Amino acid sequence: MTDTTWKAEADAGDWGERARTVAVELAASAAERAASARLPHREVTLLKDSGLITLLGPAEHGGGAQEWPVADRVVRIVSAADPALGELLGRHYVWVRLASFIATREKTEHIDEVSARARWLFGGALDVRGAALTVRDRGDDIVFNGRITPSTAARVSDITLLEGRFPDGSPVSSLAMSTHVGLTFDDDDSGTVTVRDADIPWSGALGYVGKVFQPRAYNDLLVPTLHLVLAQAALGAAAGRLAAGGHPHSGRTELGAALRAAEDEADAVSEEAGALHRRAAALTASETAAHADRTARLLARARAAAAAVTGQNAASVPQQDGVR
């Protein structure tokens, strides 16, 4: 990888150019990494050094201070060069902002600060709300057990998202250092994380105050935000494949037109999402429900367009192998 001096600050347009510069370097190593099954430590360092990992973080702590539409475009650009790294980055954006969706303002500000300063990469389950772990209350702590599988970024992450349920079925999410005692990262194709008695202080239970969860309408924008970055990842991967001439059959013009139409819709939905994120405290349930429906339809369309280019089953797009 080349030596590049990255400016600490950039505007929205500059971030697009920066993402394209990073994409060139990722494309150069993508085939070698896929062939060797090498973990992408060098590539993750590039994402950190370029500032893409901290794109959404506060400027005063070293972040890019950008909004979600910029992050969506960056995911699509990176995915065109390296689909696995593009999806990793998109999921990281959702996880690094998880606290903003469900935690208190004070906890969100703390996580924003420390994650931007440390340039942490977040990993976790592919199903961001699957809550696969069991959780018990141990007084001052909560204790997680079980397996996170499939996951992404597990063996290259700094932070692992733990999601589980108490015996009464109530969900709870916490963030743990990936070096936390009780976390074991298996060397398998699913990126399985085995969790044994991983204890987290109750203060780390996101959204809980006095052991009681504090709901708000913005909670429900989490899954649509994930769907939107996955749609961008799928469209980026398809665009990269089409540009490389890698589609399995004729009809390049028609495929390109369908892909561009899906990209236009993705841009529109992303702008709509940006406006909703800016109104987080004032959102209504009906607004988040309508947006959730639109992002779900967009994800289905993006996967279908990508499948037409790549020849994959649409249900398998864009969950890329290679970053476990």
Side-chain angles (χ1 to χ4, degrees):
M1 294 185 178
T2 60
D3 291 329
T4 304
T5 300
W6 306 100
K7 291 188 287 187
E9 299 178 358
D11 61 26
D14 290 337
W15 282 109
E17 288 303 314
R18 185 175 300 200
R20 279 183 276 275
T21 300
V22 169
V24 170
E25 296 205 32
L26 291 177
S29 66
E32 173 271 324
R33 183 174 58 79
S36 65
R38 171 178 62 79
L39 290 174
H41 292 294
R42 296 202 306 266
E43 290 79 1
V44 168
T45 297
L46 173 62
L47 293 174
K48 291 182 177 184
D49 289 346
S50 67
L52 295 186
I53 285 291
T54 52
L55 177 72
L56 294 171
E60 61 269 29
H61 302 305
Q66 296 302 304
E67 295 187 326
W68 277 104
V70 177
D72 289 332
R73 288 193 290 274
V74 165
V75 169
R76 200 158 81 203
I77 291 167
V78 172
S79 297
D82 189 322
L85 265 295
E87 183 178 335
L88 176 148
L89 183 63
R91 289 180 179 275
H92 159 78
Y93 286 148
V94 176
W95 289 321
V96 79
R97 296 296 296 153
L98 178 66
S100 72
F101 290 103
I102 62 176
T104 62
R105 180 175 58 83
E106 292 78 11
K107 177 63 69 175
T108 299
E109 290 176 351
H110 172 69
I111 292 173
D112 285 349
E113 176 181 348
V114 296
S115 61
R117 286 186 180 277
R119 305 191 308 176
W120 282 335
L121 171 66
F122 284 56
L126 290 185
D127 182 358
V128 75
R129 298 303 286 161
L133 303 176
T134 61
V135 188
R136 71 178 189 275
D137 181 357
R138 197 175 62 184
D140 293 336
D141 301 328
I142 54 177
V143 183
F144 290 83
N145 278 280
R147 297 167 76 243
I148 304 171
T149 188
S151 72
T152 190
R155 289 185 289 160
V156 294
S157 66
D158 302 295
I159 298 292
T160 297
L161 170 61
L162 303 179
E163 292 195 305
R165 294 184 184 278
F166 290 109
D168 66 359
S170 301
V172 61
S173 301
S174 293
L175 303 173
M177 297 297 298
S178 295
T179 54
H180 191 79
V181 174
L183 302 189
T184 303
F185 299 89
D186 301 344
D187 186 10
D188 63 10
D189 291 339
S190 296
T192 300
V193 184
T194 300
V195 183
R196 293 189 180 92
D197 292 330
D199 58 325
I200 303 292
W202 257 107
S203 59
L206 300 179
Y208 280 77
V209 177
K211 298 189 178 183
V212 177
F213 186 71
Q214 308 295 312
R216 55 191 175 123
Y218 193 54
N219 300 160
D220 295 329
L221 211 59
L222 172 61
V223 171
T225 302
L226 174 64
H227 286 172
L228 186 49
V229 297
L230 292 181
Q232 302 288 359
L235 293 171
R241 181 76 173 269
L242 191 63
H247 52 91
H249 50 72
S250 60
R252 181 183 179 87
T253 300
E254 291 79 5
L255 288 170
L259 190 58
R260 285 191 296 275
E263 288 173 341
D264 288 343
E265 181 180 354
D267 289 340
V269 176
S270 182
E271 290 301 322
E272 174 184 284
L276 294 176
H277 286 292
R278 286 190 290 273
R279 296 181 51 250
L283 285 182
T284 65
S286 61
E287 286 178 309
T288 56
H291 185 67
D293 181 66
R294 191 173 184 189
T295 56
R297 286 186 281 110
L298 170 65
L299 179 56
R301 182 180 183 182
R303 285 177 166 166
V309 172
T310 64
Q312 291 178 271
N313 184 306
S316 69
V317 180
Q319 296 181 8
Q320 305 292 335
D321 293 332
V323 183
R324 304 297 186 207

